[in-house]
Amino acid sequence: EVQLLESGGSLVQPGGSLRLSCEGSGFIFSNYAMSWVRQVPGKGLEWVSIISDSTGSTYYADSVKGRFTISRDNSRNTHTLQMSRLRAEDTALYYCATTSNYAFLMWGRGTMVTVSS
Amino acid sequence: QTVVTQEPSLSVSPGGTVTLTCGLNSGSVSTTYYPSWYQQTPGQAPRTLVYSTNIRSSGVPDRFSGSILGNKAALTITGAQADDESDYYCVLYMGNGIRVFGGGTKLSVL
């Protein structure tokens, strides 16, 4: 069974940092690019970042560029999103998703990040 | 700034057909944007329906179909069912690794 399990979400103060992780199982992790997508409760979805399957190329939405860093460890079937200089508007449920054929194919259940003092 | 447009809300009768669209604030959507579609019900993670314009994801019934209609991507639901009542999102690939979600369409089946 394909599974993606996000972790690391919590309450953090503005300006703080947080590291999210996503562990995949039930599929060949290294064959897929991996993305983060976030959703403010009650609002729409927003693509955040992607890391390619093999070359490690990374891309970011303008809203997080320079503050967030995506990385992966194929030996551990894990990819991470290091978030720094967090703002209130980064408060959201963060989903990880496998990415192929320019689409998000498999999704985790999400981990909640709350940025508040 | 690129804005991907979707109808904020639509309704369809049970058994009816409805088409949701996905456009750009400037320009036309074509297959080179690799449009994809996602369904989300409250409290659940999104579910992938269609990608690369018209390829159904595994397990998605064939009453969901994707296409390009005029200058927009489209998702057509034929024979709508009560459990199709959900939020639907499209995504366009803008190049250089960048993806953009539309604002979503809230579909009511009534």
Side-chain angles (χ1 to χ4, degrees):
Chain A
E1 180 192 2
V2 171
Q3 278 196 328
L4 290 170
L5 184 62
E6 302 94 337
S7 62
S10 69
L11 172 65
V12 61
Q13 291 190 338
S17 299
L18 203 59
R19 184 181 179 90
L20 305 183
S21 294
C22 173
E23 181 177 3
S25 60
F27 63 100
I28 302 174
F29 187 83
S30 59
N31 282 0
Y32 290 88
M34 298 298 298
S35 294
W36 289 95
V37 173
R38 67 185 181 183
Q39 185 171 37
V40 175
K43 302 296 185 183
L45 297 165
E46 180 189 15
W47 172 75
V48 172
S49 180
I50 184 172
I51 184 166
S52 67
D53 51 357
S54 54
T55 64
S57 298
T58 59
Y59 303 93
Y60 302 90
D62 285 345
S63 57
V64 306
K65 197 177 297 182
R67 300 186 299 122
F68 290 11
T69 302
I70 191 171
S71 60
R72 68 188 296 158
D73 183 345
N74 287 338
S75 68
R76 298 186 176 188
N77 289 355
T78 299
H79 82 288
T80 62
L81 187 69
Q82 178 68 46
M83 305 185 293
S84 61
R85 290 184 282 147
L86 283 161
R87 307 166 179 166
E89 54 264 37
D90 295 318
T91 295
L93 184 62
Y94 284 73
Y95 294 103
C96 73
T98 62
T99 308
S100 181
N101 294 299
Y102 303 95
F104 311 111
L105 297 183
M106 296 176 281
W107 297 74
R109 294 191 170 189
T111 186
M112 187 68 199
V113 173
T114 303
V115 183
S116 175
S117 54
Chain B
Q1 181 183 352
T2 300
V3 176
V4 177
T5 60
Q6 294 185 249
E7 298 86 0
S9 63
L10 289 171
S11 62
V12 61
S13 300
T17 297
V18 64
T19 296
L20 291 66
T21 67
C22 177
L24 283 169
N25 61 331
S26 59
S28 299
V29 177
S30 66
T31 56
T32 60
Y33 286 86
Y34 300 94
S36 53
W37 293 89
Y38 306 86
Q39 177 191 49
Q40 188 181 36
T41 53
Q44 299 296 315
R47 170 197 183 196
T48 306
L49 296 175
V50 169
Y51 60 94
S52 293
T53 305
N54 56 10
I55 301 175
R56 271 186 298 275
S57 191
S58 176
V60 174
D62 59 8
R63 55 198 184 78
F64 291 92
S65 62
S67 64
I68 299 292
L69 286 180
N71 62 349
K72 296 182 179 182
L75 176 73
T76 299
I77 306 172
T78 56
Q81 300 179 0
D83 60 4
D84 294 337
E85 187 160 291
S86 303
D87 295 324
Y88 292 83
Y89 296 91
C90 70
V91 171
L92 299 180
Y93 178 68
M94 309 307 294
N96 296 317
I98 305 301
R99 281 87 171 154
V100 180
F101 276 89
T105 296
K106 188 176 189 66
L107 180 67
S108 299
V109 180
L110 41 76

